[in-house]
Amino acid sequence: MAALTIAARTGNWFSALALGVTLLKCLLIPTYHSTDFEVHRNWLAITHSLPISQWYYEATSEWTLDYPPFFAWFEYILSHVAKYFDQEMLNVHNVNYSSSRTLLFQRFSVIFTDALFVYAVHECCKCIGGKEVGKELTEKPKFILSVLLLWNFGLLIVDHIHFQYNGFLFGLMLLSIARLFQRQGLPILLRLVLNPWGQAIFPPGLTKVLGLQKRHMEGAFLFAVLLHFKHIYLYVAPAYGVYLLRSYCFTANKPDGSIRWNSFSFVRVISLGLVVFLVSALSLGPFLALNQLPQVFSRLFPFKRGLCHAYWAPNFWALYNALDKVLSVIGLKLKFLDPNKIPKASMTSGLVQQFQHTVLPSVTPLATLICTLIAILPSIFCLWFKPQGPRGFLRCLILCALSSFMFGWHVHEKAILLAILPMSLLSVGKAGDASVFLILTTTGHYSLFPLLFTAPELPIKILLMLLFTIYSISSLKTLFRKEKPLFNWLETFYLLGLGPLEVCCEFVFPLTSWKLKYPFIPLLLTSVYCAVGITYAWFKLYVSVLIDPPVGKTKKQ
């Protein structure tokens, strides 16, 4: 606290927070790392030692390249630094290669690229307002938001223990969101055509028609780039598409907030389309020239992997699978089911595979797509017909991410961060959003615990989770202390239940005889319990979006 007080007086509190979390990341370097560490080492080797024509065909390792081309080029750039650490890590045939220098390089590469995330958080803090309830630095919304993002528990353990590069990817997303909030300022495309004396080549009239004085184009450009780094962000693409069409391509609204159809601008649509086309051409163009697009897309969308990941994401399908399991057990006990006719591929085997449900109808990729679209549509409808400005866009984005997490095909548990991080921006604005955030982030973060299953990381994950959760709850309660409590008794009881669940899974279950016969029970309990909380947060946020009035009506009131 003393350090923060000094930093506050000098105006460098944000730098102090960023430096502190960077030092923590350095302390986590020796911790456990998952198979994702080998995945990215293999991608370094593929992009460094093979021509581009072989990148998406190479299959020496089971961890084949399955991210979009921009990420492949990102690995290619990193590989030219990696060769100065350990040349052997760049050999495609050195499967499962590891060395101390390889470890240091990959860990530090994640920490270094997180600089983009730090910058994005700084930009978000400029444009997200909140209630000023006290003079203390720690009570200011910008400070609270900075801690919630920079010190996010889930991002820390997924990137800096488990190992991935989500930090700079979320940095791109948050920076894109920030640009859509920042309605004024010169965007990148305009700066490129400024001469040394600061005079624009475009005439003032054309600049106004193109809307270049706003930052929609920057937001669109950054998101297009992000999609070609990691295609999971397609989950939130509908929110971007509808918002940009509604607020950028249509230039005026009626007094009641509804759209003025004659204000549609073809120039703006063409400019947006040109941005998306140019980014896509830069990314996919080389593979189109090589006639390899079908191969690239087959790697990006592997629908043969099955409905659920080996460790169930805590979503609707976890509840669905658990119900099917309960019904099958009851059916066998009551002799309604024939044991010989039960599918051999088990959903609790811990393997990534396709399986058939025993009692309930089996789920296909098409079914999950339909469910996801149905879940997203109401939020898209509200974004179009009940405009609430950039904040409405942000809510829609979160609901798109959560709906895709809830009903998507082969969803990874780590995808919950796609909703948690942007939800942090809303949490400092309204008490209702803060309540949803706390339920979502506490439950979602706890659902990541099974990713770190080794004994040395047990105290680390528990301590970091407790510190982040206690800070989140206490800081937001302080921020909204003049309003009603953030939790009702049922929500409080549910969140407190995570404690006994952890004790049961980590300390009690290993001592029972069930450990060998039913090893999947801790994962099943964690996924199902957390799925209830995440489903509740999704539903609660949806209700608030549906009942909130448009911006125009809010102002009149």
Side-chain angles (χ1 to χ4, degrees), residues 48 129 155 159 203 216 219 243 260 273 288 295 306 312 317 333 401 415 421 425 430 476 486-487 510:
H48 184 83
L155 196 58
D159 274 15
H216 292 92
Y243 178 71
R260 194 181 294 278
L288 178 63
Q295 175 63 20
W312 299 352
W317 303 121
K333 291 288 185 182
L421 288 170
L425 278 64
K430 292 174 59 178
L476 291 176
L486 296 181
F487 303 129

Side-chain angles (χ1 to χ4, degrees), residues 337-406:
L337 298 175
D338 184 355
N340 298 320
K341 293 183 179 180
I342 293 179
K344 293 181 179 180
S346 172
M347 68 182 78
T348 55
S349 64
L351 300 175
V352 179
Q353 59 180 334
Q354 291 181 321
F355 59 81
Q356 299 295 315
H357 289 88
T358 305
V359 179
L360 299 176
S362 294
V363 182
T364 64
L366 179 60
T368 63
L369 176 62
I370 293 172
C371 290
T372 302
L373 291 176
I374 292 174
I376 285 175
L377 278 178
S379 64
I380 297 297
F381 181 89
C382 288
L383 185 60
W384 183 269
F385 290 101
K386 294 173 55 178
Q388 295 174 331
R391 183 169 291 274
F393 154 73
L394 185 54
R395 285 186 164 198
C396 181
L397 180 148
I398 295 165
L399 283 172
C400 285
L402 266 179
S403 298
S404 300
F405 180 84
M406 289 291 296

Side-chain angles (χ1 to χ4, degrees), residues 213-413:
Q213 76 277 13
K214 297 185 179 181
R215 310 196 80 165
H216 292 92
M217 291 290 284
E218 271 190 84
F221 170 76
L222 289 169
F223 182 68
V225 170
L226 177 61
L227 283 180
H228 288 276
F229 268 102
K230 192 171 183 179
H231 52 302
I232 193 175
Y233 293 94
L234 280 170
Y235 288 170
V236 299
Y240 274 90
V242 172
Y243 178 71
L244 288 170
L245 180 63
R246 180 70 171 77
S247 65
Y248 181 69
C249 297
F250 286 91
T251 59
N253 290 329
K254 295 179 181 178
D256 62 357
S258 62
I259 199 166
R260 194 181 294 278
W261 293 97
N262 61 0
S263 67
F264 182 74
S265 171
F266 284 102
V267 174
R268 293 190 175 190
V269 171
I270 293 172
S271 64
L272 277 177
L274 188 61
V275 166
V276 175
F277 173 78
L278 291 176
V279 172
S280 300
L282 184 62
S283 171
L284 300 174
F287 300 96
L288 178 63
L290 293 168
N291 197 27
Q292 291 185 357
L293 280 187
Q295 175 63 20
V296 173
F297 289 138
S298 70
R299 287 282 183 87
L300 299 184
F301 304 100
F303 288 111
K304 294 182 179 180
R305 289 186 177 179
L307 173 65
C308 295
H309 194 237
Y311 157 36
W312 299 352
N315 59 11
F316 175 80
W317 303 121
L319 300 175
Y320 189 86
N321 291 344
L323 178 60
D324 184 75
K325 194 72 176 177
V326 170
L327 292 176
S328 65
V329 171
I330 295 173
L332 288 172
K333 291 288 185 182
L334 299 178
K335 298 183 179 179
F336 291 152
L337 298 175
D338 184 355
N340 298 320
K341 293 183 179 180
I342 293 179
K344 293 181 179 180
S346 172
M347 68 182 78
T348 55
S349 64
L351 300 175
V352 179
Q353 59 180 334
Q354 291 181 321
F355 59 81
Q356 299 295 315
H357 289 88
T358 305
V359 179
L360 299 176
S362 294
V363 182
T364 64
L366 179 60
T368 63
L369 176 62
I370 293 172
C371 290
T372 302
L373 291 176
I374 292 174
I376 285 175
L377 278 178
S379 64
I380 297 297
F381 181 89
C382 288
L383 185 60
W384 183 269
F385 290 101
K386 294 173 55 178
Q388 295 174 331
R391 183 169 291 274
F393 154 73
L394 185 54
R395 285 186 164 198
C396 181
L397 180 148
I398 295 165
L399 283 172
C400 285
L402 266 179
S403 298
S404 300
F405 180 84
M406 289 291 296
F407 301 103
W409 178 265
H410 197 76
V411 175
H412 286 235
E413 63 287 336

Side-chain angles (χ1 to χ4, degrees), residues 129-148:
K131 297 171 68 67
E132 298 284 351
V133 297
K135 296 181 179 179
E136 294 294 328
L137 171 67
T138 53
E139 295 182 1
K140 295 186 180 298
K142 289 185 178 182
F143 179 85
I144 296 172
L145 177 61
S146 298
V147 177
L148 294 181

